[in-house]
RNA sequence: GUGGGUGUAGCUCAGUUGGUCAGAGCGUCUGGUUGUGGCCCAGAAGGUCGAGGGUUCAAGUCCCUUCACUCACCCCA
């Protein structure tokens, strides 16, 4: 029986790494423009951290975490909790009043895999601690929209407000009353939701439920004055930044810690996994985890989903050259000389390779072609005797005779290759 | 946890009502006269048809079981 990767765990093969790097490069570039600093966090944390931050009653904590029960540690299902832990542990609030941080890495959830949802998946996690300004909310959404724009992916922004501990309970009671009157018309899932997480009834996908909740009281009509002001501030700021958005009053959050602003970038090209980026404000979280009373907001972007979008958007990157020069050695002497020459070229900053298995010249030419090498240098007994060797330009087929020494060859290739530094 | 779909060469897939059905394309390798890639041509390697059991003279082809993958539900980035 062959050993295979675990269900929901995927290898990212060399042919896909290019697109992943592109995503990561754009992410880091844009984040730096927005003055964010990268932080790298452990993958394993105390189980309690997630239970307290995400919510002990959530599906994630109840049944989706990879936990070593004998050690009470868990593979992180998301990054926000870890980042908060690090922020508190290192008293980062003392270093500067507003911390703008991001991290990229794998997360683990034991869910049933499907399109755009794996058990090990990767997220970009962006968090700002120390400001409750509504402008910050809009700034993060602008950041998200710029990320999509720079990657050439289209996704639309939806926003909502979940209120705060002052206004949500009252709304929740109203909603429960509304649902109670219609409980018979709702699907079985929604009947269960009405007990566990009533807000979730609002975004049920079933038509019957949608019709029923269409007239439901909406969160954003029942915000307390402070939350209402904040929400309208967010909207004004988005308009000032010309970031297109729509209000989705049925949008809910799965994690307990969110308050006020929530937002998602959604797409219709990922099957049922519409959200490619989602986040919101969590003003009480840091305090709840034992830190200072400091507000925060953040979002997570699903990188697998982003990669899927990039692949579907028909942006063929074209095969890049893997190496600058392939050295074709003929016979034992030619191969031996070429072996040392390739090593020298590499030490000189060029990407070089050769065949080590004594293949025919024709076969070596094919290898060079397949690798997209810009040049092929041929070394056989004639060349060793004459101290000169032909260098073939694989694009044009033209060949020049070069003096058979490292410096001449290296210099010639460097003068004609692009994308080399130094 | 629940439901649907699919499992035939490295990859993408054909395989009619069970009877040369073990195939194609791509990829790989070799060759198409001495040491030159792409295109073309020729040839080769490569598969216990996911696994196990059953029906039958005969099973990728029918039945059962099982495993895997996949999409969707739940939930969620």
């Amino acid at each position: 029986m062959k050993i295979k990767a675990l269900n929901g765990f995927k290898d990212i093969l060399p042919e896909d790494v290019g697109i992943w790097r592109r995503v990561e490069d754009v992410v880091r570039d844009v984040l730096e423009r927005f003055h964010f600093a990268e932080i790298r966090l452990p993958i394993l944390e105390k189980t309690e951290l997630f239970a307290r931050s995400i919510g002990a009653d959530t599906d994630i904590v109840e049944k989706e975490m990879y936990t070593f029960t004998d050690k009470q540690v868990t593979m992180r299902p998301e990054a926000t909790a870890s980042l908060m832990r690090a922020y508190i542990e290192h008293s980062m609030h003392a270093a500067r009043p507003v911390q703008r941080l991001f991290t990229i890495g794998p997360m683990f959830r034991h869910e049933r895999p499907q399109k755009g949802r794996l058990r090990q998946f990767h997220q970009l996690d962006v968090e700002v601690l120390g400001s409750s300004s509504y402008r910050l909310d809009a700034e993060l959404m602008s950041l998200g929209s710029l990320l999509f724009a720079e990657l050439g992916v289209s996704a639309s922004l939806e926003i909502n407000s979940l209120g705060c501990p002052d206004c949500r309970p009252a709304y929740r009671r109203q909603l429960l009353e509304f649902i109670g009157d219609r409980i018979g018309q709702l699907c079985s899932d929604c009947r269960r939701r009405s007990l566990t997480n009533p807000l979730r009834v609002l975004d049920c996908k079933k038509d019957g439920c949608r019709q029923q909740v269409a007239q439901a009281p909406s969160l954003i009509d029942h915000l307390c004055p402070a939350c209402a002001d904040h929400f309208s501030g967010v909207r004004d700021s988005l308009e000032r930044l010309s970031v297109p958005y729509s209000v989705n009053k049925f949008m809910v959050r799965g994690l307990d810690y969110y308050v006020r602003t929530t937002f998602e970038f959604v797409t219709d090209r990922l099957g049922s996994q519409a959200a490619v980026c989602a986040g919101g404000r969590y003003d009480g979280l840091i305090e709840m985890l034992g830190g200072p009373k400091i507000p925060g907001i953040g979002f997570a972007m699903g990188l697998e989903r982003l990669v899927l979008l990039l692949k579907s958007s028909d942006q063929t990157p074209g095969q890049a050259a893997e190496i600058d020069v392939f050295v074709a050695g003929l016979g034992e002497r030619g191969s031996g000389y070429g072996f040392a020459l390739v090593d020298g070229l590499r030490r000189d900053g060029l990407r070089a390779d050769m065949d080590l298995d004594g293949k025919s010249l024709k076969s070596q030419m094919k290898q060079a072609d397949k690798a997209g090498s810009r040049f092929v240098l041929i070394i056989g007994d004639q060349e060793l005797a004459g101290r000169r060797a032909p260098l073939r330009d694989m694009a044009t087929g033209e060949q020049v005779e070069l003096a058979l020494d490292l410096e001449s060859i290296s210099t010639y290739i460097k003068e004609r290759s692009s994308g080399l530094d130094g």
Side-chain angles (χ1 to χ4, degrees):
Chain A
M1 170 178 181
K2 273 192 279 188
I3 295 179
K4 302 173 65 179
L6 293 170
N7 189 17
F9 288 70
K10 289 277 180 279
D11 301 306
I12 298 172
L13 298 174
E15 64 220 52
D16 280 338
V17 167
I19 199 164
W20 277 85
R21 279 205 197 171
R22 190 177 142 222
V23 167
E24 290 159 5
D25 288 347
V26 168
V27 160
R28 290 198 165 90
D29 177 55
V30 169
L31 266 293
E32 280 175 17
R33 277 188 259 162
F34 276 74
H35 195 197
F36 278 79
E38 181 170 358
I39 182 170
R40 301 197 182 190
L41 302 163
I43 286 169
L44 207 57
E45 297 271 5
K46 290 235 175 86
T47 304
E48 182 192 359
L49 173 65
F50 303 116
R52 280 169 62 184
S53 63
I54 296 170
D57 298 334
T58 58
D59 276 19
I60 291 177
V61 171
E62 275 189 351
K63 50 194 186 193
E64 294 174 1
M65 295 205 304
Y66 281 91
T67 294
F68 299 87
T69 51
D70 56 332
K71 309 235 192 276
Q72 290 300 301
V73 296
T74 294
M75 311 267 280
R76 64 180 183 193
E78 56 121 40
T80 301
S82 299
L83 197 142
M84 293 306 109
R85 196 263 313 137
Y87 177 83
I88 294 166
E89 184 169 336
H90 302 289
S91 297
M92 293 176 78
H93 67 282
R96 54 175 76 188
V98 176
Q99 286 281 4
R100 303 157 72 85
L101 301 166
F102 75 97
T103 191
I104 300 175
M107 311 293 158
F108 304 84
R109 290 184 200 171
H110 193 104
E111 302 175 276
R112 199 68 163 254
Q114 65 189 69
K115 188 178 177 67
R117 189 175 74 182
L118 298 173
R119 287 180 171 174
Q120 175 178 335
F121 58 103
H122 298 76
Q123 287 187 333
L124 159 68
D125 197 68
V126 177
E127 316 281 353
V128 180
L129 299 315
S131 171
S132 56
S133 167
Y134 54 79
R135 291 204 177 96
L136 175 57
D137 304 27
E139 186 186 344
L140 282 188
M141 296 178 209
S142 176
L143 164 56
S145 73
L146 182 62
L147 279 172
F148 289 117
E150 299 249 329
L151 287 165
V153 166
S154 67
S156 49
L157 173 62
E158 297 185 350
I159 70 171
N160 194 18
S161 175
L162 296 182
C164 65
D166 287 338
C167 48
R168 208 185 321 183
Y171 166 73
R172 189 187 162 101
R173 278 193 297 277
Q174 267 189 267
L175 179 64
L176 276 174
E177 211 171 297
F178 177 88
I179 292 173
D181 294 342
R182 292 160 179 77
I183 193 79
Q185 276 82 265
L186 298 176
C187 70
S188 56
D189 280 331
C190 281
R191 271 176 245 153
R192 179 177 49 74
R193 289 187 185 107
S194 68
L195 301 174
T196 57
N197 190 351
L199 295 182
R200 277 284 173 200
V201 176
L202 294 177
D203 69 351
C204 182
K205 289 168 189 159
K206 295 195 174 66
D207 287 341
C209 297
R210 287 194 157 179
Q211 286 170 22
Q212 290 300 318
V213 301
Q215 301 305 316
S218 136
L219 284 108
I220 53 179
D221 295 330
H222 294 77
L223 297 174
C224 64
C227 286
D229 283 352
H230 188 93
F231 192 59
S232 67
V234 172
R235 300 187 58 167
D236 289 346
S237 301
L238 284 172
E239 274 146 33
R240 169 172 279 192
L241 299 180
S242 301
V243 174
Y245 72 96
S246 60
V247 174
N248 177 357
K249 62 181 185 178
F250 294 146
M251 189 174 72
V252 183
R253 277 279 82 100
L255 281 50
D256 282 1
Y257 51 64
Y258 285 109
V259 297
R260 290 193 168 169
T261 313
T262 59
F263 61 98
E264 286 182 2
F265 284 89
V266 299
T267 169
D268 58 1
R269 302 168 79 170
L270 284 177
S272 65
Q273 308 303 318
V276 65
C277 171
R281 190 162 268 289
Y282 45 82
D283 289 342
L285 179 60
I286 297 169
E287 192 178 12
M288 192 174 80
L289 290 174
K293 185 175 168 57
I294 285 174
I297 180 171
F299 67 78
M301 195 172 280
L303 299 188
E304 274 80 4
R305 294 181 184 180
L306 209 48
V307 167
L308 282 174
L309 284 174
L310 279 168
K311 285 184 175 177
S312 75
S313 66
D314 192 39
Q315 299 178 2
T316 46
Q319 73 272 28
E322 295 169 15
I323 53 176
D324 301 305
V325 57
F326 187 95
V327 175
L330 299 172
E332 179 52 34
R333 293 183 63 225
S335 293
Y337 189 93
F339 184 61
L341 182 64
V342 164
D343 191 67
L345 290 166
R346 289 168 174 165
R347 288 175 189 280
D348 215 27
L350 287 166
R351 301 174 299 170
D353 201 5
M354 71 179 296
D355 170 74
L356 300 177
D357 298 307
K359 295 283 181 61
S360 69
L361 177 59
K362 178 170 181 167
S363 172
Q364 295 192 58
M365 292 299 292
K366 284 188 179 178
Q367 287 182 55
D369 185 51
K370 194 171 173 63
S373 185
R374 174 84 196 277
F375 296 102
V376 172
L377 184 74
I378 297 166
I379 305 173
D381 287 343
Q382 295 169 30
E383 287 72 23
L384 291 174
R387 310 301 303 161
R388 296 185 68 80
L391 184 78
R392 181 179 181 87
D393 183 319
M394 292 297 275
T396 65
E398 290 166 10
Q399 295 188 186
V400 295
E401 291 275 330
L402 296 181
L404 189 50
D405 63 78
L406 174 60
E407 181 165 354
S408 312
I409 294 163
S410 178
T411 302
Y412 184 92
I413 294 171
K414 281 185 180 176
E415 281 172 356
R416 285 160 185 78
S417 292
S418 55
L420 294 176
D421 42 33

